[in-house]
Amino acid sequence: MLEVRNLRKTFGDNVALDDVSLTVEPGRMFGFVGANGAGKTTTMRIAMGVLESDAGDVRWDGASLTKSRRADFGYMPEERGLYPKMKIAPQVAYFGELHGLTPAAAKRAAGEWLDRLGLGDRGDDFVQDLSLGNQQRVQLAVSLVHDPKMLILDEPFSGLDPLAVDTMAGVLADRSAAGVPVIFSSHQLDLVERLCDTVGIISKGKMVAAGTVTELRRSAGRRLRVNVADATPGWEQTLPGPATSCGDGEWLVDSADDQGVLAAAMAAGRVVRFGYDEPSLADIFREASA
Amino acid sequence: MKGVWLVAKREILTRGLSRSYIVGVVVSAVLVAGLTLLPGLLGGPSEYRVVLTGTESAELATAIEAAAEGFEEFSVETAEVADPEAARAEVEAGDADAAIIDNTTLVTESGADQQLAVVIDGAHQAVTTQRQLAEAGFDPADVNAALTVAPLQDDQLGGDDAGARQGIAYFLVIVLFFMVMMPTMYVAMGVVEEKSSRIVEILLSSLKPWQLLVGKVAGLGVLGFVNLAVPLAVGLAMGDVTGAVAELPSGLTGTILSSLVWWVLGFCFYAAMAGALASMISRQEDMNSAIGPLTMLMILSYVVAAVYAWQPTTLVARVLSYVPPFSMFMMPVRDAVNDAPLWQQGLSALLMALAAVGMFALGATIYRRSVMRTGSKVKLTEVLRKSS
Ligand SMILES: Nc1ncnc2c1ncn2[C@@H]1O[C@H](COP(=O)(O)OP(=O)(O)OP(=O)(O)O)[C@@H](O)[C@H]1O
Ligand SMILES: [Mg+2]
């Protein structure tokens, strides 16, 4: 279990992180979302020990993290980095050795992961000769080669084609099912919604929401969506709560009095649509980041 | 330690097995080997041949051989030939270094070497004077006695072979300079490569910054050392076979070998500095300005050493031979002229080693603080000021 506790980080006068806490549990996939510059990368870098925090700490299985314990982590940085003039298979194996594998085990694991990621026949190619998406697969292999006990991936899906997204998602789900805590950041909210058990939303350096997708939906508050055909303009004034227009005569109403809303709508005209609106993650995100 | 070794091993394997590196080592080895084959690398040939023809050839030949006996460094062989044409032909073919015709004309390819000219001139003057005095009616025996002059005693203040020693010292300075400069540049380029490709972020998740720096310096250092030591070993071995090493002034083989130690110390010092300076930038384009201080220090100490290679026993040279990093050039220079006893060299090496360790400590700190900062160049004052 990875616990990030009360992180604070400033760059000059810019407060990048302000009291950020989150927990990634074993066997759970944690989706980390937030607007550009919200602080996702900074949080992950501190968790990986690449950056030092001003305050707060990161704990792993209840004890503070050291370099040698972090060697069990797999990391994919936001700005991908590989040696452009080094062959793929030796490169992946090199990172395996850096994480403590024996040379033979590293070589074997590198071969297996490259096979699995569809690069089995390209082990002797130089990284610089690969397409961007394929370099990304190599990057994933680098983060997985030592069979990590924790995965921290910064935007692993960006730049991937739909097939590669499926491969990547499959690998992550598989690791997660094997009991490895996984945290990844992404701007593809549909993907996060589909893959993640837990979602954390960060905005301007503060965690604004965290929990399972269902919990987030519940706490975001359910709203009623209502559409009345041929209603006279201004009829929404009669509703028992504040209403926001979604265009085309649709309104979102914030009110616990569903029967009251329905009555007001029926009085206004022919009700063609009425029901609770399930907010998508994108809606929750927009609201939380506003 | 394992981390350092892995980093070093990667450097050695990726760069050391590259074609350009292997070709480089082989080419320098061949060049150095070729150098030992050049005759007269250290001053002219040790054996001259002079052919004579016409009047007074016999007297001249005797006088030349007698005069040459006063010199240890070379000997002169004389031979009489039939006529001026034969004499000229020998010089033209390079079989003879000089021909003397009728004790009046000196034939050479392009002037005689200085030491040979001294011998020939002396002989010519002696023989001619003797004849003219005899013609004037003096007794040849008296003339001979009067003309016998003991040669001036040769007492070179710089010690024997001072010129050759200084020349070799100068050569060592040049070799050390380039052999340290090159791998130092590779360290700087490697650091920037890792930083600009952002791979350093993954590396730092499993390695400490100092491990990365030390491993890189060690790996590239091994390659640089091989690049220096292999041609040197080949040169010494070849020189041993051809006799060139035996001709070296005594003790210089030791100087050449100990310059390997100076190379190691100097490289550690400059490589640590290069790593630190390069970690402050993110793009190869900024390299020149970033390592400017290093290049300047290195060129300064090189120029100073190149100048004092010819004045190795002056006070300035003695003082600088203890001051790191000047000592890496100056101490070999002093050692080349036998001016520095072993304890002085040891002391100076110790100081240089301490400076290198200090540079590593400072370099690792700068590296740790700046390697994760991207974008514009990190300011040195900023990095040094920031506490821990
Ligand atoms: N090395 C740095 N130097 C100065 N400021 C930085 C640095 N790294 C991050 N910041 C600042 O910290 C804040 C958080 O940045 P961070 O990269 O963590 O955002 P993010 O959530 O990953 O954004 P994105 O979705 O664009 O990747 C930003 O305001 C950014 O300008
Ligand atoms: Mg980011």
Side-chain angles (χ1 to χ4, degrees):
Chain A
M1 185 165 77
L2 181 83
E3 290 169 279
V4 168
R5 306 199 306 187
N6 312 101
L7 287 190
R8 186 179 167 80
K9 176 79 188 173
T10 52
F11 294 101
D13 301 334
N14 178 6
V15 182
L17 298 183
D18 183 9
D19 201 25
V20 168
S21 302
L22 56 87
T23 304
V24 189
E25 282 164 36
R28 289 288 192 107
M29 227 191 287
F30 187 105
F32 199 21
V33 300
N36 292 132
K40 304 179 293 295
T41 299
T42 306
T43 307
M44 291 174 143
R45 282 185 175 158
I46 292 173
M48 270 326 286
V50 179
L51 209 62
E52 278 170 32
S53 64
D54 298 340
D57 64 348
V58 182
R59 297 167 76 81
W60 171 246
D61 285 348
S64 63
L65 261 176
T66 59
K67 200 85 175 175
S68 57
R69 305 184 77 208
R70 276 200 183 96
D72 290 339
F73 285 20
Y75 179 46
M76 189 173 196
E78 171 176 53
E79 292 176 77
R80 319 286 186 230
L82 295 165
Y83 289 107
K85 294 192 186 86
M86 197 173 169
K87 290 181 180 167
I88 294 163
Q91 177 148 216
V92 175
Y94 170 63
F95 283 102
E97 283 191 61
L98 278 184
H99 283 99
L101 295 186
T102 63
K107 197 169 170 207
R108 191 166 359 97
E112 282 169 14
W113 276 111
L114 288 177
D115 275 344
R116 173 137 188 222
L117 295 171
L119 293 170
D121 52 342
R122 309 213 52 181
D124 276 338
D125 285 356
F126 291 103
V127 168
Q128 61 185 7
D129 297 337
L130 291 186
S131 73
L132 194 70
N134 280 341
Q135 291 186 17
Q136 187 123 321
R137 294 179 197 223
V138 177
Q139 198 83 51
L140 182 67
V142 163
S143 62
L144 289 166
V145 63
H146 53 291
D147 197 9
K149 298 201 173 80
M150 164 88 218
L151 273 177
I152 298 185
L153 312 169
D154 202 351
E155 301 195 21
F157 293 100
S158 76
L160 293 185
D161 68 42
L163 290 178
V165 166
D166 289 346
T167 315
M168 176 81 76
V171 170
L172 295 192
D174 176 65
R175 293 289 82 204
S176 174
V180 173
V182 179
I183 176 171
F184 72 88
S185 68
S186 179
H187 292 296
Q188 283 146 281
L189 298 177
D190 51 331
L191 210 58
V192 174
E193 199 165 354
R194 199 175 88 211
L195 293 175
C196 293
D197 313 291
T198 317
V199 176
I201 303 177
I202 186 170
S203 172
K204 299 189 183 96
K206 290 192 173 72
M207 288 300 289
V208 287
T212 63
V213 178
T214 330
E215 281 167 357
L216 288 182
R217 284 212 177 100
R218 199 173 303 139
S219 68
R222 300 200 298 175
R223 292 192 293 186
L224 288 161
R225 185 180 285 272
V226 56
N227 195 341
V228 181
D230 321 318
T232 47
W235 76 273
E236 71 275 7
Q237 309 285 347
T238 63
L239 289 168
T244 6
S245 168
C246 310
D248 284 338
E250 291 221 345
W251 294 88
L252 276 175
V253 189
D254 257 330
S255 169
D257 181 11
D258 44 15
Q259 295 310 307
V261 173
L262 182 59
M266 285 171 72
R270 188 165 61 90
V271 178
V272 293
R273 180 165 185 181
F274 177 78
Y276 275 110
D277 197 55
E278 286 286 318
S280 69
L281 187 54
D283 295 328
I284 300 171
F285 175 83
R286 267 188 213 101
E287 188 151 308
S289 310
Chain B
M1 262 307 126
K2 173 138 186 282
V4 172
W5 161 238
L6 285 173
V7 174
K9 188 174 84 174
R10 196 198 76 87
E11 295 292 344
I12 293 171
L13 289 183
T14 46
R15 198 181 290 277
L17 293 184
S18 74
R19 189 176 310 159
S20 60
Y21 176 78
I22 294 173
V23 168
V25 173
V26 170
V27 166
S28 357
V30 168
L31 279 182
V32 172
L35 218 54
T36 63
L37 291 178
L38 287 182
L41 175 63
L42 314 156
S46 51
E47 242 172 68
Y48 293 102
R49 181 177 148 86
V50 177
V51 293
L52 306 105
T53 184
T55 50
E56 292 179 314
S57 290
E59 293 89 337
L60 212 45
T62 320
I64 287 175
E65 277 175 16
E69 242 158 60
F71 295 89
E72 277 173 25
E73 300 94 318
F74 65 99
S75 59
V76 181
E77 180 205 346
T78 57
E80 283 195 45
V81 291
D83 49 49
E85 281 67 43
R88 284 177 199 279
E90 278 221 30
V91 174
E92 234 164 84
D95 293 335
D97 299 287
I100 303 172
I101 301 165
D102 290 334
N103 195 15
T104 51
T105 312
L106 177 64
V107 182
T108 58
E109 183 67 42
S110 56
D113 283 355
Q114 198 195 348
Q115 48 193 7
L116 182 60
V118 168
V119 168
I120 292 177
D121 262 356
H124 164 68
Q125 298 224 351
V127 170
T128 313
T129 321
Q130 219 162 8
R131 168 167 47 77
Q132 287 168 354
L133 285 174
E135 281 164 8
F138 291 91
D139 179 352
D142 292 345
V143 172
N144 215 353
L147 281 178
T148 306
V149 181
L152 285 174
Q153 287 259 323
D154 183 22
D155 184 4
Q156 299 187 7
L157 284 182
D160 289 346
D161 317 307
R165 284 174 183 278
Q166 288 171 4
I168 288 185
Y170 182 69
F171 181 69
L172 274 183
V173 168
I174 297 180
V175 170
L176 276 177
F177 175 74
F178 282 107
M179 287 312 209
V180 167
M181 195 68 166
M182 236 171 16
T184 298
M185 286 299 155
Y186 285 138
V187 170
M189 282 173 352
V191 167
V192 179
E193 181 197 32
E194 281 171 358
K195 202 179 160 180
S196 64
S197 71
R198 306 301 306 158
I199 199 163
V200 71
E201 197 168 334
I202 314 180
L203 293 171
L204 286 185
S205 67
S206 49
L207 289 168
K208 295 195 180 72
W210 72 263
Q211 291 178 310
L212 205 50
L213 182 62
V214 173
K216 182 168 282 292
V217 171
L220 291 172
V222 167
L223 294 181
F225 187 82
V226 168
N227 195 17
L228 176 66
V230 166
L232 208 66
V234 170
L236 284 178
M238 280 290 289
D240 192 33
V241 173
T242 63
V245 168
E247 276 178 37
L248 283 179
S250 64
L252 269 185
T253 322
T255 307
I256 292 175
L257 289 178
S258 69
S259 67
L260 285 176
V261 176
W262 286 106
W263 181 89
V264 171
L265 296 176
F267 172 73
C268 287
F269 179 87
Y270 281 112
M273 191 170 169
L277 292 175
S279 71
M280 300 197 291
I281 54 169
S282 311
R283 303 176 308 156
Q284 298 281 5
E285 297 95 282
D286 297 332
M287 180 70 95
N288 280 341
S289 72
I291 61 164
L294 180 150
T295 329
M296 247 147 61
L297 181 60
M298 195 152 185
I299 290 182
L300 179 69
S301 60
Y302 163 72
V303 168
V304 167
V307 169
Y308 282 97
W310 308 105
Q311 313 160 38
T313 53
T314 52
L315 181 65
V316 180
R318 289 206 171 122
V319 170
L320 286 182
S321 70
Y322 291 100
V323 182
F326 292 90
S327 49
M328 72 161 291
F329 292 135
M330 288 313 298
M331 201 36 115
V333 161
R334 284 186 59 207
D335 184 35
V337 298
N338 280 339
D339 186 47
L342 205 57
W343 70 266
Q344 292 187 0
Q345 297 183 42
L347 178 64
S348 168
L350 185 69
L351 290 176
M352 183 72 197
L354 287 178
V357 170
M359 188 50 88
F360 255 109
L362 178 69
T365 308
I366 296 177
Y367 186 86
R368 175 165 56 81
R369 288 183 191 167
S370 49
V371 76
M372 271 310 291
R373 312 219 348 212
T374 47
S376 46
K377 182 172 186 274
V378 182
K379 287 207 186 66
L380 188 58
T381 47
E382 203 180 324
V383 178
L384 294 177
R385 190 154 12 90
K386 196 177 136 204
S387 57
S388 87

